[in-house]
Amino acid sequence: PKREYLLLDYRGANNCVAVITLNRPKALNALSDPLMQELNCTIAEAEAQPNVAAIVITGSEKAFAAGADIKQMQTRNFVQVYKDNFLSGWDRVSSSPRVVIAAVNGYALGGGCELAMMADIILAGEKAKFGQPEINLGTIPGAGGTQRLVRAIGKSRAMQLCLTGEMINAKQACDWGLVSAVYPPDQLVDEAVKLGEKIASKSKVALQICKEAINKSYDLSLTEGLRVEKQLFYSTFATNDRKEGMTAFVEKREPRFTDS
Ligand code: HXC
C-alpha cells in the first residue's frame, strides 16, 4: 500500500525488526486521523510478517511526534468528538502481540508522549523532550497521559508535568524511569534495532506470554497478578520452545526456537 505519512522497512537478521518512521515533517509528525489510520494498518502489516518479533516506532531527530493534530481538532465540538469516537483507534500500539520499542528523538509531546508510552520499551536520544502540554490548550491528555504516566513516573511528577505543561529532557526521563536508556541521536534507531534483534532471538510465543503477564500488572492486585503470572508460566509448558530452551541448557548448547 502507498504510505503518505510514514515509512516502513525491515532490519536486523532475517528482517526480524520492523522499523516504522513517522514522516510528516512539516507538522512535526502531528498525529492526524489519517496518520493514525496509516500507523495502525502498518503495524498490522508488520505483525503479519512471520519473521518480525519487534517493531520500532520512531520519528525524526527534531520530533518523534508533537502531539495530536491541533489544527484538525481546533474546530471540533463535543458532539463531534464523542459521536465520531475520536480517539478510538489510538490504542492499537498497546495491544500489539509483538514487542514494540519507541525510539524517541526530539519532541514527544501530548499524544506523541502517549504514543511512546503505549510501547513496551522507550529508548531516547539525548535531545529528546517529553511533555503533556495539553493544559496549555485548555484540555487534558486523552490517550493515556493521566494514566500511563502516573504508573511510569509516579503521581507527583505526573501531576507536575500535566498541570504545568512543562517538558522534561531525556536524562530526566531516564532518571524518572520513563525511558530505559539514552543514546546519541544518530545512534538511537540502530540501538533500538539491536535491542529488537536481541529480543527476536527468543521464542516469539514466550515473548508474547511474557508481555501479557507484565501488562496484567497494570490492571490487577498483587494477589490476582501473581495468580495470572503462575497460570501463564504453566502455559509455557504447553510449548515446544519451553522444552527446547531447557533441553538446550542441559545439553550446553544454544536453543533453536521454532515459535511453536
Ligand atoms: C498541528 C503542529 C503541531 C501539532 C507542531 N505543528 N505541532 N501542527 N498539531 N500538535 C506544526 C506547526 O503548526 C508548524 O506548522 C510546524 O509544525 C512547525 O512547528 P513550530 O511550532 O513552528 O516549531 P517550533 O517553533 O520548533 O516548536 C516546536 C514545538 C511546537 C515546541 C513542538 O510546535 C509546539 O508547541 N507544538 C504543539 C505541542 C502540543 O501542544 N502538543 C499537544 C497537542 S494536544 P505551520 O505550518 O503552522 O508553520 C494532544 C492531545 C492528545 O496531543 C489527546 C489524545 C491523543
Side-chain angles (χ1 to χ4, degrees), residues 134-146:
E134 287 90 344
I135 202 76
N136 299 327
L137 303 168
T139 183
I140 72 163
T146 68

Side-chain angles (χ1 to χ4, degrees), residues 183-197:
Y183 296 102
D186 60 338
Q187 291 167 29
L188 174 68
V189 175
D190 287 344
E191 291 293 339
V193 170
K194 258 195 252 168
L195 177 60
E197 261 188 304

Side-chain angles (χ1 to χ4, degrees), residues 79-217:
V79 172
Q80 282 169 323
V81 293
Y82 184 70
K83 258 178 76 201
D84 298 348
N85 215 347
F86 168 39
L87 295 174
S88 62
W90 272 70
D91 53 3
R92 179 65 180 76
V93 168
S94 65
S95 59
S96 176
R98 302 286 94 81
V99 175
V100 182
I101 302 168
V104 176
N105 267 322
Y107 295 110
L109 302 177
C113 186
E114 293 171 309
L115 178 65
M117 289 192 290
M118 287 177 213
D120 299 307
I121 299 169
I122 307 180
L123 303 180
E126 280 157 0
K127 300 212 170 95
K129 293 232 186 285
F130 297 84
Q132 298 289 161
E134 287 90 344
I135 202 76
N136 299 327
L137 303 168
T139 183
I140 72 163
T146 68
Q147 305 298 306
R148 290 194 178 92
L149 192 61
V150 183
R151 287 157 163 90
I153 66 176
K155 173 181 154 175
S156 181
R157 288 158 171 171
M159 281 283 187
Q160 191 172 334
L161 288 191
C162 292
L163 298 178
T164 64
E166 67 195 20
M167 300 180 208
I168 55 170
N169 62 26
K171 185 182 177 304
Q172 190 77 278
C174 197
D175 291 347
W176 286 0
L178 180 62
V179 314
S180 52
V182 181
Y183 296 102
D186 60 338
Q187 291 167 29
L188 174 68
V189 175
D190 287 344
E191 291 293 339
V193 170
K194 258 195 252 168
L195 177 60
E197 261 188 304
K198 186 178 201 173
I199 289 168
S201 70
K202 319 300 178 191
S203 157
K204 280 200 203 64
V205 202
L207 291 170
Q208 190 174 341
I209 294 174
C210 190
K211 262 190 71 159
E212 189 179 340
I214 291 175
N215 282 330
K216 280 287 172 200
S217 74

